[in-house]
Amino acid sequence: MGTVFPLRLPSSTAMATIEPVSTPEVTDGTLIERVASGDRGAFEELYGRFARPVLGLALRRIGDRGRAEDTVQEVFAAVWRSAGSYNRGRGPGGAWLYTIARNTIVDALRRRPAPTVANPPEVVSPGLTPDEEAEASWNAWRVHRALDTLPEHERTAIDLAYFSGLSQSEIAEFLQVPLGTVKTRTRSGLARMADALEGEL
Amino acid sequence: MSDHTPPFDEIVEHTDPERDRLQGAHLLLTAAGAPPELPPWLESAPPEPRSRVIALGRRRSTVVATAAVAATMLFGIGYAIGARDRPAPPVQTVAMQGGGATASIDVFSHDAAGNWPMTLRVSGLASLPRGQTYALWLTAHGKLAEPCGTFTVASGTTEVPLSAPYPLKEYDGWVIVRSGTTGPFLLRTGTV
């Protein structure tokens, strides 16, 4: 095994700095309802859950990193303003927030001119039809949200396997755990992802 | 697709009874790619916007109705006292219509913070079951864009003071919907 890996270490530690105000079983919808009543703590919890999916969606649609980051703030300002319109009878909170994010991103694209040829977007998904792109964006949103529901040890195994290019053996060596443990964690993480995706969060 | 797709067979045994389900998650994960890292300045939630309309929850409908009545009474008292404190005329009056109901929105000059005070007068809307409300929305490109508050109605004409902290020229219409739905009850028919 080489000594240098294309490592992209798990970043969930950064998210952990946001102090949770609720137990993990509190749904996204419940948090949105609390935001509607002005609950700042609920807003921070919601931000912790969705900031990266929102940035991911903005990057897919806008391309330019700086503009996408600016749009993240606009999306969450819209969440503050619009939380009162959420109705849990019409769907889960994650889907509502996706709609808010998508509309805010579209508005941002309309307000600000597209990048010039000299500064092209970093875009993503060339060759997809609009429908395919919409489906891919929605799936990526769900996957990124589901990743944040994994326990830390499973998240690490998934990140290293899928996003850092390490084999199961290399992960075992990197984490200093038996190969069987890595396989168990990776499989368990996949199963939990499947549960989350099937449950539509 | 990621350049680092791990071999699925390396992770899940051929005999695994959940193999198909796990493969679905595997494929979605591979297609989605890594979630982006947040820059340091986005690691904390942004502050609450300075100006914000809270679309009141259903349980507050009584409060909304009471506030509307109180505002109407205060306006009447003020009007009776004299013309010296008469409010400035609206900068825009929006007419709305739909399903036998009519409404008008007097939009007054915005304050220094960018809030546009408004008075909504609506008549002909059916009273909703207890706990349900109507909502006034700004629209853009045929879609609900920003909420401007919720209200209930009584018989006759209902008058509701509202405020919107949005740059109104960025929107192209107004609708009244039943809260939690998108089907319009009233649409803008014109601007005076």
Side-chain angles (χ1 to χ4, degrees):
Chain A
M1 189 179 75
T3 55
V4 178
F5 296 121
L7 271 183
R8 185 180 173 285
L9 290 172
S11 58
S12 52
T13 49
M15 305 304 290
T17 59
I18 296 172
E19 188 176 344
V21 295
S22 53
T23 53
E25 64 267 21
V26 172
T27 66
D28 300 329
T30 299
L31 288 176
I32 293 168
E33 288 169 345
R34 291 186 189 173
V35 171
S37 63
D39 185 335
R40 171 75 195 176
F43 179 69
E44 291 181 359
E45 174 76 11
L46 201 62
Y47 184 85
R49 293 185 184 184
F50 283 99
R52 293 209 296 169
V54 168
L55 179 57
L57 182 64
L59 280 169
R60 290 186 75 97
R61 300 298 296 271
I62 297 174
D64 177 73
R65 175 100 193 177
R67 295 176 70 203
E69 290 175 358
D70 289 343
T71 306
V72 171
Q73 288 219 314
E74 293 176 23
V75 167
F76 282 94
V79 167
W80 259 119
R81 289 195 302 264
S82 305
S85 71
Y86 172 66
N87 178 347
R88 69 168 61 216
R90 302 189 65 226
W96 177 88
L97 211 146
Y98 177 81
T99 303
I100 295 287
R102 187 193 57 200
N103 291 345
T104 305
I105 291 165
V106 169
D107 286 346
L109 281 168
R110 287 192 181 115
R111 276 201 311 275
R112 284 169 277 182
T116 62
V117 176
N119 180 24
E122 299 165 11
V123 177
V124 206
S125 322
L128 293 184
T129 67
D131 284 349
E132 289 168 340
E133 174 55 35
E135 184 178 357
S137 293
W138 171 238
N139 284 335
W141 170 276
R142 295 161 63 218
V143 167
H144 293 166
R145 171 71 185 98
L147 276 171
D148 276 341
T149 68
L150 300 183
E152 185 67 31
H153 62 282
E154 292 176 7
R155 172 67 189 265
T156 301
I158 292 284
D159 274 354
L160 292 173
Y162 283 86
F163 308 136
S164 298
L166 302 193
S167 69
Q168 297 283 282
S169 302
E170 289 168 335
I171 295 171
E173 185 172 337
F174 179 73
L175 295 177
Q176 299 289 296
V177 297
L179 177 60
T181 302
V182 171
K183 289 193 172 188
T184 300
R185 289 178 182 177
T186 310
R187 186 209 173 279
S188 176
L190 273 183
R192 209 180 298 272
M193 290 280 297
D195 288 344
L197 293 167
E198 288 163 7
E200 286 296 330
L201 291 171
Chain B
M1 299 278 282
S2 165
D3 294 330
H4 306 301
T5 305
F8 183 63
D9 290 343
E10 188 180 280
I11 299 169
V12 178
E13 302 287 341
H14 281 283
T15 54
D16 192 313
E18 290 194 287
R19 186 176 167 85
D20 287 348
R21 201 172 77 91
L22 298 180
Q23 190 157 27
H26 166 84
L27 292 174
L28 283 173
L29 192 53
T30 304
E37 300 291 345
L38 292 174
W41 72 279
L42 281 179
E43 283 181 0
S44 300
E48 182 179 0
R50 281 175 54 198
S51 300
R52 170 181 172 230
V53 167
I54 299 175
L56 296 174
R58 295 173 185 163
R59 291 175 194 166
R60 299 190 184 178
S61 55
T62 306
V63 177
V64 173
T66 305
V69 170
T72 305
M73 290 175 63
L74 286 172
F75 178 80
I77 293 169
Y79 191 88
I81 288 173
R84 282 181 305 176
D85 297 325
R86 186 175 297 169
V91 295
Q92 185 183 79
T93 297
V94 178
M96 304 179 76
Q97 200 167 26
T102 58
S104 66
I105 309 168
D106 285 342
V107 182
F108 300 94
S109 295
H110 64 78
D111 63 18
N115 299 295
W116 298 81
M118 300 179 292
T119 300
L120 168 70
R121 291 181 191 83
V122 59
S123 57
L125 271 180
S127 297
L128 293 174
R130 184 178 176 79
Q132 297 187 23
T133 60
Y134 290 102
L136 175 67
W137 282 77
L138 282 162
T139 63
H141 312 290
K143 295 179 180 174
L144 301 186
E146 299 289 358
C148 297
T150 59
F151 59 94
T152 56
V153 298
S155 58
T157 298
T158 299
E159 185 172 297
V160 191
L162 298 167
S163 178
Y166 317 114
L168 297 186
K169 65 183 177 184
E170 290 186 6
Y171 304 92
D172 54 25
W174 303 76
V175 296
I176 291 174
V177 301
R178 195 161 163 166
S179 293
T181 71
T182 56
F185 275 83
L186 287 96
L187 288 163
R188 181 175 69 172
T189 55
T191 304
V192 178

